[in-house]
Amino acid sequence: MWQFHPYSVLLFLAFGFNLGLGLFVLKSFRLNLVKYLLILVFGSMIWTGFYGLDFVYISTNLHRTFISLLYIGVAIANVGMVLVSIEFTNNQHLLTKRFWVLLLLQPLFTVAVCVLDPIFKTLTLDTYLINVGGRIQWIQETNIGGFIASYLLSFFWSVFVALLLIRGIFISKSTERNRYLLILVSFLFIWIAAALHKMGIRPLPGMNITGVMCTMQAIMIFFAIGYYRMFDLVPLVRSEIVDELDEAVVILDFNHRVVDWNSSAENLFCVKDKNVALLPHQAFFQHTPELITKLDNLSIKKTITKWIWEKDSKYWEVTAKQIRDSNRKKIGMVLVFRDNTEQRNLEKQMANVNRELLVANGTKDRFLSIISHDLRGPLAGIKMLLKVLNEDMKKKEDALAGMTQSLLDATESVFSLLENLLEWSKLQRGQEEFRPNFYRLDSIVLECLDLFALSAKNKDIHFETKIPNHAMVYCDDRMIITVIRNLISNALKFSHQNGKIEISAIDTGYHWMVSVKDFGVGMSKTTIDKLFKPGEVIKSVGTQGETGNGIGLLLCSEFVTVNGGTLTADSDGMSGSIFQFSLPKKENEEILI
């Protein structure tokens, strides 16, 4: 039987408030606080909605169904109130798995009571109809199950939340204290209404206004969120971050009207009045007409456009990003101005330095070319002529022979230095090609010894070679000849008259270890530490006044490394030196130049 009842108007009005509130806050569903508020609103809707139906539609068959759904709404609303209060008081750490289980006990117990009610009357002990002011309405006597589901468990959670709120009031700042008091007062409204109803003090005869108070609580929480700016937390944080950026940010709508900008943009464009709504971009960029022209001619097809804008000897990298809605319709644009002046200046400086380096490299290459073509040829000719002249002079006059020998030694020293410089320059410029193959080690050593036969004879120095005939190495023979040539030249230079030089090779498994050992003046530890370091100056004098500068050993170290080996030196500082380097037996894929 349908009837009009004024109490239902109040309940349906509360239902409508809950529905409108829920739809309004749904857009900010990403916030946990809003999610919990929606649980409270949903429970309050069920509570007031079915309570209102129980007044306008009198049916013995549906009465208990309406009451059961009403109690389920009470349980859901209570869960929402607890969660909102925890989020409000910043006690999110309490939401553990065990806590969730305890929190869901009330709605689960309420559902069980409602399901069993038709059989055991667990929800309402008795229900009957009365006439109040000419209108019929139900009166129900609550059973023990309904009492536990709606009052006892709700009271337990209300005490728990009240303790959280009271604790927050004592430990929080004054602004937070006010919002805690607001939530606490909203809880008191509900329990005062419930207690008065149980005591028989009812402002509206036969109606429990607790559900209406629950709706009032949801509304108070909503206004508290808005008043304390918790509702727009994410946009607030984003706006704070944007305002602190060093880059200037300007936001335009789909008609190129400026709607917002940050502090850096104020300084860049000399705009202060943020109270002007929808400022035309011509007015905002009035001092920079080139930007107005650029914005007017931007392609609408490109989502992101970048360009360089120059102002007052400064360079700005401008990024224009179009903002589109879910239907890909343009709704606005964000302009970001990044100061690129320092980077541009650095790029210009680097370009200038690169040009200077190119000029310097060109000069160096021309210088090396002059050394290579204009010095190497004449020196080689002088060297050969002196050799011939020296042989002839030995047969005639000893005095002239000594002079020509000195000239020959000096020429050979200069020629050796020139050869090393040229090889070093090729290696540094990447013009030295690495062409490895398999070679007999003894053949390489014998070829080098032939070069020094005359020099060794002049100092009465003999060579002892201990190179196995089966020793095969994988290397670039030109580079290794240069290495052995330099090591033998140094050994001759620092060996005493009537001395000897030992050249040997030992099989170490994967490599052949080649040694060049002399019994001359030796080297100090300080000299050994400087041998293979570029930039270190090493001045040395041989046993007959020969000079050395260490360039040859640097070249040797580079060539040995390119061939996949290592070069080391050792000396006791008195009885000669030994240089050792390793060469691989087979091809190694890791050998690179």
Side-chain angles (χ1 to χ4, degrees):
M1 181 183 69
W2 291 94
Q3 66 171 356
F4 171 77
H5 201 294
Y7 296 169
S8 64
V9 176
L10 178 62
L11 291 167
F12 287 143
L13 185 62
F15 175 87
F17 271 117
N18 284 305
L19 179 61
L21 184 60
L23 293 174
F24 186 82
V25 301
L26 192 61
K27 63 181 180 180
S28 298
F29 188 73
R30 62 181 176 269
L31 298 176
N32 283 334
L33 184 57
V34 173
K35 293 177 185 178
Y36 301 151
L37 179 60
L38 285 172
I39 295 174
L40 169 60
V41 168
F42 180 67
S44 184
M45 282 174 58
I46 296 176
W47 187 351
T48 55
F50 285 103
Y51 198 10
L53 281 176
D54 198 45
F55 277 100
V56 299
Y57 188 69
I58 306 300
S59 171
T60 54
N61 296 325
L62 294 177
H63 172 63
R64 287 186 177 273
T65 301
F66 292 158
I67 296 301
S68 297
L69 292 172
L70 182 155
Y71 276 103
I72 291 174
V74 171
I76 294 173
N78 187 70
V79 170
M81 285 189 286
V82 174
L83 292 173
V84 167
S85 301
I86 288 175
E87 188 73 19
F88 239 104
T89 56
N90 296 317
N91 284 293
Q92 295 87 346
H93 62 280
L94 296 177
L95 295 175
T96 61
K97 290 182 178 180
R98 183 178 298 177
F99 186 88
W100 278 104
V101 170
L102 291 174
L103 190 58
L104 294 176
L105 283 178
Q106 182 180 2
L108 292 175
F109 178 75
T110 303
V111 170
V113 168
C114 293
V115 170
L116 296 174
D117 182 63
I119 304 173
F120 302 106
K121 294 183 173 47
T122 53
L123 194 61
T124 57
L125 181 64
D126 190 18
T127 61
Y128 55 91
L129 293 169
I130 63 170
N131 191 300
V132 179
R135 293 179 179 85
I136 300 172
Q137 63 185 61
W138 287 101
I139 297 295
Q140 56 267 356
E141 300 292 337
T142 305
N143 203 341
I144 185 66
F147 178 78
I148 294 174
S150 62
Y151 285 96
L152 189 61
L153 292 176
S154 296
F155 179 76
F156 166 77
W157 285 114
S158 295
V159 171
F160 169 77
V161 169
L163 292 175
L164 288 181
L165 292 169
I166 293 170
R167 178 176 176 273
I169 290 171
F170 281 108
I171 67 173
S172 62
K173 299 178 182 177
S174 58
T175 53
E176 294 178 342
R177 192 176 299 134
N178 292 334
R179 78 182 188 198
Y180 294 160
L181 283 170
L182 185 63
I183 302 300
L184 188 61
V185 169
S186 69
F187 267 99
L188 291 177
F189 283 170
I190 293 176
W191 280 106
I192 290 173
L196 291 175
H197 182 77
K198 274 295 179 183
M199 294 168 58
I201 304 173
R202 300 168 183 172
L204 303 174
M207 179 184 175
N208 189 344
I209 62 171
T210 310
V212 178
M213 291 295 104
C214 183
T215 301
M216 293 297 298
Q217 181 188 36
I219 294 172
M220 291 176 68
I221 292 173
F222 168 73
F223 280 109
I225 292 173
Y227 182 79
Y228 292 107
R229 301 200 70 180
M230 300 178 71
F231 194 65
D232 55 349
L233 180 62
V234 173
L236 176 66
V237 172
R238 286 180 179 171
S239 66
E240 290 292 334
I241 293 174
V242 170
D243 211 43
E244 292 298 323
L245 289 176
D246 292 331
E247 292 86 357
V249 179
V250 181
I251 303 173
L252 297 87
D253 67 2
F254 63 95
N255 285 325
H256 279 187
R257 293 175 298 190
V258 178
V259 296
D260 199 7
W261 57 90
N262 67 351
S263 302
S264 298
E266 288 184 5
N267 298 329
L268 179 59
F269 298 106
C270 303
V271 178
K272 297 296 182 183
D273 190 5
K274 272 203 171 185
N275 296 320
V276 179
L278 301 178
L279 188 68
H281 74 288
Q282 293 90 345
F284 189 88
F285 299 115
Q286 58 181 324
H287 302 297
T288 54
E290 64 276 13
L291 281 180
I292 298 174
T293 304
K294 183 69 177 181
L295 291 174
D296 290 338
N297 294 295
L298 278 182
S299 172
I300 61 173
K301 294 181 179 180
K302 290 185 178 180
T303 303
I304 297 178
T305 306
K306 292 186 178 182
W307 71 92
I308 299 297
W309 169 55
E310 185 178 358
K311 179 191 176 187
D312 299 333
S313 301
K314 284 193 172 185
Y315 295 93
W316 302 85
E317 182 185 89
V318 187
T319 302
K321 179 177 175 56
Q322 296 189 21
I323 309 301
R324 302 178 185 273
D325 60 13
S326 57
N327 297 320
R328 301 299 300 161
K329 182 180 178 181
K330 180 183 174 182
I331 59 175
M333 181 188 299
V334 177
L335 296 176
V336 179
F337 299 81
R338 181 177 291 109
D339 190 349
N340 208 23
T341 307
E342 186 175 352
Q343 182 178 345
R344 291 280 297 229
N345 291 336
L346 286 174
E347 289 174 356
K348 288 182 179 179
Q349 291 177 12
M350 289 178 64
N352 292 333
V353 170
N354 285 335
R355 282 195 292 271
E356 292 174 1
L357 284 174
L358 288 174
V359 173
N361 280 333
T363 304
K364 180 196 69 176
D365 292 341
R366 287 195 297 273
F367 175 72
L368 290 172
S369 177
I370 291 170
I371 292 176
S372 176
H373 294 91
D374 296 353
L375 282 180
R376 194 171 184 274
L379 276 174
I382 293 171
K383 177 183 174 184
M384 293 301 300
L385 288 172
L386 284 173
K387 278 188 177 182
V388 174
L389 183 62
N390 187 57
E391 290 295 326
D392 291 339
M393 286 300 172
K394 283 184 178 179
K395 298 175 183 178
K396 297 179 180 179
E397 299 182 19
D398 293 339
L400 286 174
M403 293 173 64
T404 55
Q405 181 63 48
S406 298
L407 285 170
L408 179 60
D409 291 342
T411 305
E412 285 185 345
S413 177
V414 173
F415 190 78
S416 177
L417 172 61
L418 179 61
E419 287 284 321
N420 287 333
L421 282 172
L422 291 174
E423 293 290 341
W424 172 263
S425 68
K426 284 183 181 180
L427 188 65
Q428 297 303 311
R429 289 180 292 164
Q431 295 181 356
E432 188 72 38
E433 295 183 8
F434 180 55
R435 295 176 292 193
N437 211 330
F438 290 99
Y439 296 96
R440 286 183 56 176
L441 183 59
D442 59 343
S443 298
I444 295 176
V445 172
L446 288 174
E447 183 179 342
C448 293
L449 292 178
D450 289 342
L451 299 174
F452 296 98
L454 181 61
S455 299
K457 182 180 179 181
N458 290 334
K459 290 185 80 170
D460 293 324
I461 295 173
H462 68 279
F463 297 109
E464 288 187 6
T465 59
K466 299 177 183 178
I467 309 292
N469 294 332
H470 63 277
M472 296 291 295
V473 291
Y474 184 77
C475 65
D476 185 322
D477 61 330
R478 298 172 300 107
M479 294 184 178
I480 300 306
I481 288 173
T482 301
V483 172
I484 297 176
R485 175 171 57 81
N486 272 279
L487 295 181
I488 292 176
S489 175
N490 285 340
L492 282 169
K493 191 183 299 182
F494 298 106
S495 291
H496 299 293
Q497 199 81 12
N498 300 316
K500 70 173 181 176
I501 296 173
E502 294 180 355
I503 302 142
S504 61
I506 301 173
D507 188 352
T508 62
Y510 294 100
H511 296 79
W512 282 99
M513 183 64 71
V514 183
S515 302
V516 178
K517 183 178 181 181
D518 66 74
F519 299 88
V521 297
M523 297 178 292
S524 65
K525 292 295 181 183
T526 303
T527 302
I528 292 175
D529 292 339
K530 294 180 179 180
L531 285 180
F532 309 116
K533 295 180 179 179
E536 292 288 350
V537 178
I538 302 172
K539 294 294 182 181
S540 57
V541 180
T543 54
Q544 291 187 350
E546 304 96 331
T547 59
N549 49 35
I551 293 177
L553 288 177
L554 283 176
L555 182 64
C556 292
S557 178
E558 293 275 1
F559 278 173
V560 170
T561 301
V562 167
N563 282 271
T566 55
L567 174 64
T568 59
D570 194 18
S571 176
D572 60 4
M574 295 180 293
S575 57
S577 306
I578 181 170
F579 287 83
Q580 293 182 309
F581 64 93
S582 58
L583 291 174
K585 290 183 177 181
K586 58 183 180 179
E587 182 177 357
N588 187 349
E589 294 181 358
E590 295 181 358
I591 298 176
L592 299 173
I593 188 168

